[in-house]
Each structure stands twice: as structure tokens, then as C-alpha cells.
Amino acid sequence: METWDQANAPSVASMLFELRKDCLPLILPSISVLGFLLIGSSHLFSDPYQAASSGLALVLLAIVVLALSRLSYWVAEAALVMGCAALVGLIAIWMGITPAITLLIVPSALAAILGGTLAGFVTATISALVLLWPDGPLAGIPVETAMVTAIACWMTVGLIWLASRPLLTALDWSWRSYESSRHLLAQARGTQVRLKEALSGLAEANSQLTALNRLTQALRESAEEARRVKERFVANVSHELRTPLNMILGFVELIVNSPNAYQRRLPTALLSDLDVILRNGRHLSSLIDDILDLSRVESGRWALTKERVAVSEIIEAATTAVQPLFHSKHLRLTTDVAPDLPPILLDRTRIREVLLNLLSNAARATTTGGVDVRVCQQENDVVFSVADTGSGISPEDQDRLFIPFSQLDGSTRQPHAGSGLGISISKGFVELHGGRMWLESQVGVGSTFSFRLPIDGP
């Protein structure tokens, strides 16, 4: 803990100076009252004239000091201390009252109170020198009395210093607390200003967020309405296309399958053209079905009929369906199904359709070699993979592969080209089961389409 004269010295000194200035007006009335008492009791002394003169001197001293205090506090203090010391010496020598010399402790005490500890010690030192000076004005004072008075002056100043220490320490603590409180108050005001600015910014951000929420809600409603319009459009267009297309396919199938129904033999070239029409018509019908399936999958409105199914049954059904395509291209088709796989909760038809799409795409992309189907269990999932030995897919094309109507060659006129919907629909079916689908491919080596399904799906 720092002492009062080390910490905040200028501020504490200023406060002490003001307190001392306040003490001076309180001391002067006491001196005046003492002077009037001395004048009033002068008849009790052996020489009433000397006693009355001493009392009058005290009153005049108080008046002079009061007048000087209006000009300079330090001059008034010095005049009070020297005047009191002179009166004490006058009483002791002129009136012959030797014990009165002990009253020199009063100037020392006044100097310590009004001027500080240093002024008190200086006054006490001067008083001691005057008392102990052999040829001085107080040489007639007994040595014992002079010694006791000098020691009393020093002790009085020391006691005042000791008594003032707690007061000065308390004053220092008070000033520190005041400065700390003022600093904290300034910080609090600054924090309050920043808080108001932050609240204002927060209110503005909240207002903008509310506007954005309203805009988002409006956009969401617009998107939902657009989705409903798209569904209605797809359904209506599919219905309008399917009705005449079915009639066309029906008549073409009748002509192709029963060429004698018109009571004459149709030319072979015409039958070949009708067969092309029938094949492309069926392709168009399949495309319409795919569009409807994709719309229902994207909207999440596809109803799955789930049951416990053995994985080997689905693999056998899918490979049997695509076996003719592989034989026609002289490609191998192998399966590797783990023997201890548990039955899976799934929609048998949709997962078989996923495998059919992957196997058909692999067969179309492969010219030599073949396709390998593998199924294994990983924790609580079953992983299906279809790996081919085709030309592979570049990394920049892999992301486009799952986009509807996206084809790597950019054309639907290539031999055995699909509509670009099979992979998207298959991915949707897998995700409806709570699984996911991904692709691993290397150009010139081949591609592997994989998907995983939970054993106990949602």
C-alpha cells in the first residue's frame, strides 16, 4: 500500500491545503476568546496592566491574521505562529511567569496543523534553539524548564504527525476510491454508448432479417407453387401424350404382329419401318414414364412398399433380366454376394429397378470385358456395387451424371443411348430408402457405381 504522500500526491496535497485553510477561521475565534478571557481576568494577576495588554495582543493578533488570510494563507499562517511564539515569550519574560514558556508547544502545534508536519518540526526546532541559546532572549529561563519545553515541542509535533497518519491514509483511500469510481463511471458511460450502438445495430439487423424472412417465405411459397404447377403440367402433358401414343402403339403392334389383318400382304419394307416406329414409340412411352417417376421422386411423394427381402433374390432377378443384353455384346456378367447377408427392409420393385438401370448403363458403356456385381455388409448397411470395364468417366463429367437429362455424349441419337433419367431416378429411389449413391471412375479403366441401404431402413 503506497503512503499518502507517494500516491496521488498533487491531488491529496490540494485537498489537505483546502482542509488547512478551513481550519484557520476556526482557530482565530478561539484565540480572540482567549484574549478576551485574559483581559477579563486581568485583576487576578499581580500586574493587571500586563495581563490586559497580553489579552489585547491576542485579540489584535487574531484580527491581523484574519486580514492577512485574505491576501495570502501562508503569510497569515506564518504571522499566527510567530505572533503566538512572541506572546508566549512576552508573557514569560515581561510578566515574569516562567512556567508560561511551556506554552511554546502551541506555535509548534499550530505550525504542524496549518502548515504540515515539516513546518511543525521546523518551528519546534527553532523554538528549541531559542530556548537553549545561552545568550538568547530566554537565557534567564531555567535549563530544566527549557529542556522540558523543547522536548515537549518535539513530542507535540510528533504526536500530531502520528495522529494524522490514519487520517491521511483514509484520505488517500478515499481519493483512490473516488478516482476509481470516476474511472469506472467513465467506462460505464462508454460501455453504455457502445451498448446503445450495438442495440441500434441489432435492431437494424433484426429489421433486415425480418424483411429477408418475409422475402424467403414469399420465395418459398412461389417455389412451392411452381413445383405444384410443374407436377400438374407433367401429369397433364404425360396424360395427353400417353393417350394418342397408346393408340399409335396399339395399331402398330396390331399391324406388325398380324400383317394379314388387312386382307393383303404388306410389303417387307413397310413392316420394317413399322417395327422402327414401334420401337421408338415404346422408347417414348418409357421416357414419359421416367419423367413421371422423376417428378414423383423429387417431390418426395413416392409411396414405397417395403418388405423383408433377401438380397440374392433381387440380384438374381436383375441379372436375369439384363442377361440377353450382355450375351448380345459378348460381355461377361458376374455376381459376388456375401453369403451371410441378412434380409433388408426395402421396396423390392424399386431396388430391382435401380440395379437394372445400373446394369443397363454398364452394358451400354462396355465394349470388351464385362461387369461385376458385388454385395457386402458394412456395419448396419448393405453396399451394392456395379463395376464395368468401359472407357471410364472424367472427373469433370462425374458431377453431371446425376443431373436429370444429362448425357455424357450430349446426344440422344447414339445407339443404345438412354434418356439421361435412369441414374437420377435410381439415386432418388436409394435416398427414399435412407441410403446414398456414389460413383468411382478412372478414364480408360472403368467405372463403379455403388449405393448403400440400411438393413433396417425408415
Side-chain angles (χ1 to χ4, degrees):
M1 177 66 183
E2 294 180 340
T3 57
W4 69 271
D5 55 350
Q6 291 175 332
N8 303 315
S11 300
V12 174
S14 176
M15 294 175 64
L16 287 175
F17 178 72
E18 294 297 328
L19 291 175
R20 288 165 181 162
K21 287 180 64 177
D22 293 338
C23 290
L24 185 61
L26 300 177
I27 294 175
L28 296 180
S30 301
I31 295 176
S32 300
V33 170
L34 182 61
F36 284 117
L37 288 176
L38 190 60
I39 293 173
S41 59
S42 59
H43 62 280
L44 300 176
F45 293 88
S46 58
D47 190 344
Y49 172 75
Q50 292 178 344
S53 299
S54 300
L56 181 61
L58 285 174
V59 174
L60 292 176
L61 177 62
I63 295 173
V64 171
V65 171
L66 179 62
L68 292 175
S69 65
R70 301 180 183 276
L71 301 177
S72 172
Y73 168 77
W74 297 110
V75 174
E77 178 205 354
L80 178 62
V81 171
M82 290 187 294
C84 288
L87 285 174
V88 170
L90 180 64
I91 292 173
I93 297 174
W94 186 31
M95 296 180 63
I97 306 176
T98 303
I101 199 65
T102 56
L103 291 177
L104 282 177
I105 62 176
V106 174
S108 300
L110 288 176
I113 293 173
L114 298 178
T117 304
L118 180 61
F121 279 115
V122 170
T123 303
T125 302
I126 294 175
S127 299
L129 292 176
V130 172
L131 284 170
L132 300 177
W133 187 15
D135 299 328
L138 300 178
I141 302 297
V143 177
E144 295 81 359
T145 303
M147 290 291 295
V148 170
T149 303
I151 294 173
C153 291
W154 280 95
M155 290 183 63
T156 301
V157 175
L159 290 175
I160 292 175
W161 177 77
L162 290 175
S164 65
R165 293 301 296 173
L167 175 61
L168 296 177
T169 302
L171 183 63
D172 178 62
W173 287 349
S174 300
W175 182 258
R176 285 173 177 271
S177 299
Y178 168 73
E179 290 292 333
S180 177
S181 300
R182 189 171 64 176
H183 179 66
L184 292 176
L185 179 61
Q187 286 185 338
R189 288 174 177 173
T191 303
Q192 185 177 16
V193 171
R194 291 192 296 271
L195 180 60
K196 287 183 178 179
E197 294 176 353
L199 290 176
S200 177
L202 184 60
E204 179 66 21
N206 185 52
S207 176
Q208 295 179 358
L209 182 60
T210 302
L212 289 176
N213 286 336
R214 288 197 294 265
L215 179 60
T216 302
Q217 182 64 26
L219 293 176
R220 185 183 296 110
E221 293 175 356
S222 299
E224 183 65 21
E225 180 63 24
R227 185 188 62 79
R228 290 193 293 266
V229 170
K230 184 194 73 170
E231 290 180 359
R232 289 196 298 267
F233 173 77
V234 170
N236 293 336
V237 170
S238 299
H239 175 73
E240 295 298 330
L241 290 176
R242 190 185 299 276
T243 300
L245 181 61
N246 287 338
M247 293 182 62
I248 294 172
L249 291 177
F251 280 112
V252 173
E253 286 180 1
L254 176 62
I255 296 173
V256 172
N257 296 330
S258 303
N260 297 324
Y262 292 91
Q263 299 178 356
R264 59 177 298 181
R265 183 174 181 81
L266 298 177
T268 303
L270 177 59
L271 291 176
S272 299
D273 292 340
L274 290 175
D275 187 63
V276 174
I277 293 173
L278 178 61
R279 185 170 63 254
N280 284 277
R282 287 173 177 170
H283 179 72
L284 180 58
S285 178
S286 175
L287 177 60
I288 294 173
D289 291 338
D290 288 344
I291 293 175
L292 285 173
D293 291 346
L294 179 65
S295 177
R296 293 169 62 186
V297 169
E298 287 181 346
S299 63
R301 297 185 179 184
W302 193 286
L304 299 177
T305 303
K306 291 188 174 183
E307 57 181 325
R308 290 287 176 181
V309 181
V311 176
S312 58
E313 295 180 8
I314 302 177
I315 298 298
E316 182 179 359
T319 54
T320 301
V322 298
Q323 196 69 46
L325 177 59
F326 281 80
H327 285 169
S328 64
K329 298 186 68 174
H330 305 288
L331 300 174
R332 76 169 189 276
L333 176 59
T334 62
T335 59
D336 180 10
V337 181
D340 55 348
L341 292 177
I344 306 178
L345 183 63
L346 50 76
D347 188 322
R348 181 197 305 265
T349 303
R350 302 310 160 198
I351 298 304
R352 185 173 67 88
E353 185 176 344
V354 172
L355 288 170
L356 285 174
N357 281 329
L358 295 180
L359 289 170
S360 300
N361 290 341
R364 285 196 294 266
T366 305
T367 57
T368 59
V371 176
D372 300 317
V373 180
R374 296 182 180 87
V375 185
C376 64
Q377 182 178 355
Q378 293 182 2
E379 297 180 354
N380 296 325
D381 296 336
V382 174
V383 179
F384 299 76
S385 61
V386 177
D388 61 57
T389 57
S391 58
I393 303 172
S394 62
E396 57 271 14
D397 290 333
Q398 292 181 17
D399 294 334
R400 295 194 300 113
L401 200 61
F402 293 97
I403 301 176
F405 301 103
S406 178
Q407 295 176 320
L408 299 186
D409 58 5
S411 172
T412 59
R413 296 188 176 91
Q414 299 295 329
H416 306 292
S419 61
L421 295 176
I423 297 296
S424 300
I425 295 174
S426 299
K427 181 174 179 292
F429 283 153
V430 171
E431 292 176 349
L432 285 176
H433 282 78
R436 70 182 186 91
M437 178 180 288
W438 68 94
L439 166 65
E440 297 174 353
S441 182
Q442 185 176 354
V443 177
V445 177
S447 303
T448 301
F449 283 86
S450 303
F451 65 93
R452 65 193 307 147
L453 298 176
I455 297 176
D456 299 305

